Amino acid sequence: MSLNVRSVAVVGGGVIGASWAYLFLTKGLRVVMSDPAKGAEDSFKLFITKANADSDGSASDLQKLLVRFEFVDDITPHLPKVDFVQENGPERLELKQRIVASIDEHTRPEVVIASSSSGLPPSQFITECKKAPGRVLVGHPFNPPHLIPLVEVVPHPGTNQASITAALEFYKSLGKRPIQLRKEIPGFVANRLQTAINNEAYSLISRGVVSAHDLDAAVSSGPGLRWALTGPIAINTLGGWEQDILRNRFVWDETDIAKLRDEVNKSYGSTDWDEIVRERDSVLMDLLASKSKATSLD
Amino acid sequence: MSLNVRSVAVVGGGVIGASWAYLFLTKGLRVVMSDPAKGAEDSFKLFITKANADSDGSASDLQKLLVRFEFVDDITPHLPKVDFVQENGPERLELKQRIVASIDEHTRPEVVIASSSSGLPPSQFITECKKAPGRVLVGHPFNPPHLIPLVEVVPHPGTNQASITAALEFYKSLGKRPIQLRKEIPGFVANRLQTAINNEAYSLISRGVVSAHDLDAAVSSGPGLRWALTGPIAINTLGGWEQDILRNRFVWDETDIAKLRDEVNKSYGSTDWDEIVRERDSVLMDLLASKSKATSLD
């Protein structure tokens, strides 16, 4: 049934929820959003206005999107009507358990409930669900979800295959690139890979091998250009220095952290991050447009 | 003096040497190349014809480049005239020692001798140099050097600062992004970062968390898009799953390797790699063109 999603509940309208909602709207879906934070509706309107402008949309394009959008104080009475739920509440276990239990109670039992959680394994936050916890899973996006294709679909041991398949199909229908985790694991996949490279980066910098600036260039002017196009298995590089890496595994004592902090400040203390973020997102859009024409790349 | 490089000796004309030579020629330099392998000159001509076509060059563009190119059987009599040496011999220590000693003997003492070696630390291959080993260093490119900006400049403990600076300036003048290593370390920087992510990737796949295909997508549709634009320190992500990664560090026993092999075969057994490489390089050129306009990105 998720193959026929027409309306989505976006529960939680922070940065991630807002970006999901924008994506759903641009794909022709109806969106009902709730968020208890003060000014959440205004924040969303600001977000969507900017996102629309960044992708060269006109004011009338924006109005067309907003016709299918509704911000509500209480999502409960709307839940029986939606075909998919994307939950984006805070990463606090008890709160998440309550939110997901309430969504479970008020949605039709076959509707997939996906949480954007990046840290909580789904088996931990379904414990209060009484109705159909088998359709609950994690649908973890990368920020911002309306630009980055990856979505990690993470089932708990009781999630049924139909819901996993429906979630994968739904995200694919939006132009996303969902991946399926076969089991829960802390950090899921992409954040674990990021942690692996980060730990080695911190080690190299704090050991005085390279400046933080040059470390970053070693990625973004080198293998990072490959990683935007093909993953590490497809690239398949193996060298003889693994022993050395294991020998020098980074230990987080205060001296190491202080050295690292100094190096990062030296390289980035006076950086204009706004400009970097603006240009990064602009190039990213070019890159994605170019990459989408290459049918053999994932 | 390397700031005034007009002619370069390319010692060794395999894939890396050929790509360096093409880069030097497109930047207006004179190139003299040698390689003892049978058919090396013909291989280079094929390489440069393809590279020229890939970057939409005409036949007359190619002829203009080749006016400044000379392939020689013996590089020795040409060494006194060149302003920079890029050495690309095999990664065999004794051979490299002999090649570098001969280059040292026949070049002017202030000319920088850069080796493309990805594995041998320079302190090990300068042991036979009699004249001026202080101007020998590693200038490690990423394949193909004419496209990927990164060059790792790695001094040995006796390399003088003037030569390091000259090498960095020279590579910068070619549009490269050189980084400076402050000490020798196995794998240098970029390959160590690749190894870190690869080890975690192999671990996740062999533990059955994710398919090899989805693992690759977790990079190339996720953080890899960022890594093409900003490095890990600039992105600065830190999570709470490091403990889990340390607990599950990959051990290379035969069972693990067999599991990994199966998964890789499942995902990539029937892949058309030629097509992937072709499209990857085409998108890479688009990406680099787009990225070069973003002045705040490294």
Side-chain angles (χ1 to χ4, degrees):
Chain A
M1 48 77 246
S2 266
L3 296 176
N4 201 13
V5 173
R6 304 231 177 143
S7 72
V8 182
V10 174
V11 182
V15 175
I16 297 293
S19 176
W20 272 125
Y22 175 66
L23 174 72
F24 298 146
L25 291 170
T26 60
K27 297 298 176 179
L29 302 173
R30 278 197 306 279
V31 172
V32 55
M33 175 191 274
S34 68
D35 191 303
K38 231 185 145 164
E41 184 173 7
D42 288 345
S43 296
F44 173 71
K45 294 282 165 67
L46 268 176
F47 179 93
I48 195 174
T49 303
K50 189 177 169 306
N52 181 66
D54 283 350
S55 54
D56 297 324
S58 67
S60 85
D61 292 335
L62 184 61
Q63 285 319 307
K64 272 181 221 152
L65 295 183
L66 288 173
V67 166
R68 284 179 273 102
F69 177 78
E70 190 177 2
F71 189 96
V72 298
D73 289 330
D74 182 8
I75 199 98
T76 314
H78 300 268
L79 289 175
K81 291 169 280 180
V82 301
D83 306 315
F84 192 92
V85 179
Q86 188 75 38
E87 183 275 332
N88 319 279
E91 296 280 74
R92 298 206 310 270
L93 185 56
E94 278 188 35
L95 182 56
K96 186 83 83 190
Q97 287 169 337
R98 257 190 293 135
I99 292 171
V100 172
S102 170
I103 297 169
D104 178 48
E105 184 183 348
H106 295 100
T107 44
R108 303 190 308 279
E110 74 279 12
V111 165
V112 172
I113 302 170
S115 169
S116 298
S117 176
S118 66
L120 300 172
S123 62
Q124 287 183 19
F125 60 68
I126 55 153
T127 51
E128 307 300 315
C129 294
K130 302 271 193 305
K131 194 175 178 178
R135 46 48 186 279
V136 180
L137 43 76
V138 160
H140 175 230
F142 274 71
N143 196 23
H146 71 277
L147 285 181
I148 302 282
L150 179 64
V151 183
E152 294 179 292
V153 172
V154 189
H156 59 81
T159 302
N160 57 59
Q161 187 57 51
S163 296
I164 296 171
T165 305
L168 293 169
E169 291 299 317
F170 172 59
Y171 290 130
K172 262 185 228 163
S173 76
L174 304 174
K176 301 278 101 181
R177 174 58 169 92
I179 68 167
Q180 180 186 347
L181 271 70
R182 294 168 188 155
K183 43 179 124 168
E184 294 182 329
I185 183 171
F188 309 145
V189 167
N191 278 337
R192 292 176 71 91
L193 296 170
Q194 292 200 86
T195 300
I197 200 171
N198 288 351
N199 279 344
E200 179 60 15
Y202 302 144
S203 168
L204 288 167
I205 294 168
S206 66
R207 287 160 65 200
V209 174
V210 72
S211 74
H213 209 153
D214 273 3
L215 187 291
D216 273 347
V219 173
S220 62
S221 292
L225 296 166
R226 296 272 187 234
W227 285 326
L229 307 171
T230 46
I233 305 300
I235 295 170
N236 195 20
T237 51
L238 262 175
W241 43 81
E242 290 88 349
Q243 285 311 314
D244 185 79
I245 285 184
L246 293 177
R247 258 203 313 279
N248 295 297
R249 220 177 62 226
F250 199 56
V251 184
W252 284 104
D253 67 25
E254 261 307 303
T255 321
D256 291 318
I257 293 171
K259 273 188 222 156
L260 182 58
R261 195 181 299 121
D262 283 349
E263 281 292 341
V264 171
N265 279 339
K266 242 184 259 170
S267 282
Y268 287 114
S270 61
T271 299
D272 178 355
W273 289 102
D274 288 349
E275 173 69 356
I276 287 182
V277 168
R278 197 187 61 74
E279 291 201 325
R280 186 194 65 188
D281 287 353
S282 160
V283 176
L284 181 57
M285 283 190 278
D286 287 356
L287 168 57
L288 291 172
S290 169
K291 206 177 159 188
S292 70
K293 285 177 234 144
T295 53
S296 78
L297 299 178
D298 205 22
Chain B
M1 54 80 246
S2 265
L3 295 175
N4 200 14
V5 173
R6 304 228 176 147
S7 72
V8 182
V10 173
V11 181
V15 176
I16 296 293
S19 177
W20 271 125
Y22 175 65
L23 174 73
F24 297 147
L25 291 170
T26 60
K27 298 297 175 179
L29 301 174
R30 279 197 305 279
V31 171
V32 55
M33 176 192 271
S34 68
D35 192 303
K38 229 184 147 166
E41 184 174 5
D42 288 345
S43 295
F44 174 71
K45 294 282 166 66
L46 269 176
F47 179 93
I48 197 175
T49 303
K50 189 175 170 307
N52 180 66
D54 283 349
S55 53
D56 298 325
S58 67
S60 83
D61 292 334
L62 184 60
Q63 285 318 309
K64 271 181 223 154
L65 295 184
L66 288 173
V67 167
R68 285 179 273 102
F69 177 77
E70 191 178 1
F71 189 95
V72 297
D73 288 331
D74 182 7
I75 198 100
T76 314
H78 300 269
L79 290 176
K81 291 169 281 180
V82 301
D83 306 315
F84 193 93
V85 179
Q86 188 75 41
E87 182 276 333
N88 319 280
E91 297 279 74
R92 298 206 311 269
L93 185 56
E94 277 186 37
L95 182 56
K96 186 82 83 188
Q97 286 169 339
R98 257 192 291 135
I99 293 172
V100 172
S102 169
I103 297 170
D104 178 48
E105 184 183 348
H106 295 98
T107 44
R108 302 191 307 280
E110 74 279 13
V111 164
V112 173
I113 302 170
S115 169
S116 298
S117 176
S118 68
L120 299 173
S123 63
Q124 286 183 20
F125 60 68
I126 54 154
T127 49
E128 308 300 316
C129 294
K130 302 269 193 306
K131 193 175 178 179
R135 45 50 186 278
V136 180
L137 43 75
V138 160
H140 175 231
F142 274 71
N143 195 25
H146 72 277
L147 284 182
I148 302 283
L150 180 63
V151 183
E152 295 180 291
V153 172
V154 189
H156 59 80
T159 302
N160 57 57
Q161 187 56 50
S163 297
I164 297 171
T165 305
L168 294 169
E169 291 299 317
F170 173 60
Y171 291 130
K172 262 184 228 165
S173 76
L174 305 174
K176 301 279 99 182
R177 175 57 171 94
I179 68 168
Q180 180 187 346
L181 270 69
R182 295 169 189 155
K183 42 179 125 168
E184 294 182 328
I185 183 172
F188 309 146
V189 167
N191 278 337
R192 291 177 71 91
L193 296 170
Q194 291 200 85
T195 300
I197 201 172
N198 288 352
N199 278 345
E200 180 60 16
Y202 303 144
S203 168
L204 288 167
I205 295 168
S206 66
R207 288 160 65 200
V209 174
V210 71
S211 75
H213 208 151
D214 272 3
L215 186 293
D216 273 347
V219 172
S220 61
S221 292
L225 295 166
R226 295 275 187 231
W227 286 326
L229 306 172
T230 46
I233 305 300
I235 295 169
N236 194 20
T237 51
L238 262 176
W241 43 81
E242 289 87 347
Q243 284 311 313
D244 184 80
I245 285 182
L246 293 178
R247 256 202 316 277
N248 295 297
R249 221 177 61 225
F250 199 55
V251 182
W252 284 104
D253 67 26
E254 261 307 303
T255 320
D256 291 317
I257 293 172
K259 274 188 219 158
L260 182 57
R261 195 181 298 121
D262 283 349
E263 279 292 341
V264 172
N265 280 339
K266 242 184 258 170
S267 283
Y268 287 114
S270 61
T271 298
D272 178 355
W273 289 103
D274 288 348
E275 173 69 357
I276 286 183
V277 168
R278 197 187 62 74
E279 291 202 323
R280 187 194 64 187
D281 286 354
S282 160
V283 177
L284 181 57
M285 283 191 277
D286 287 356
L287 168 57
L288 291 172
S290 169
K291 207 178 159 187
S292 70
K293 286 178 232 143
T295 53
S296 78
L297 299 178
D298 205 19

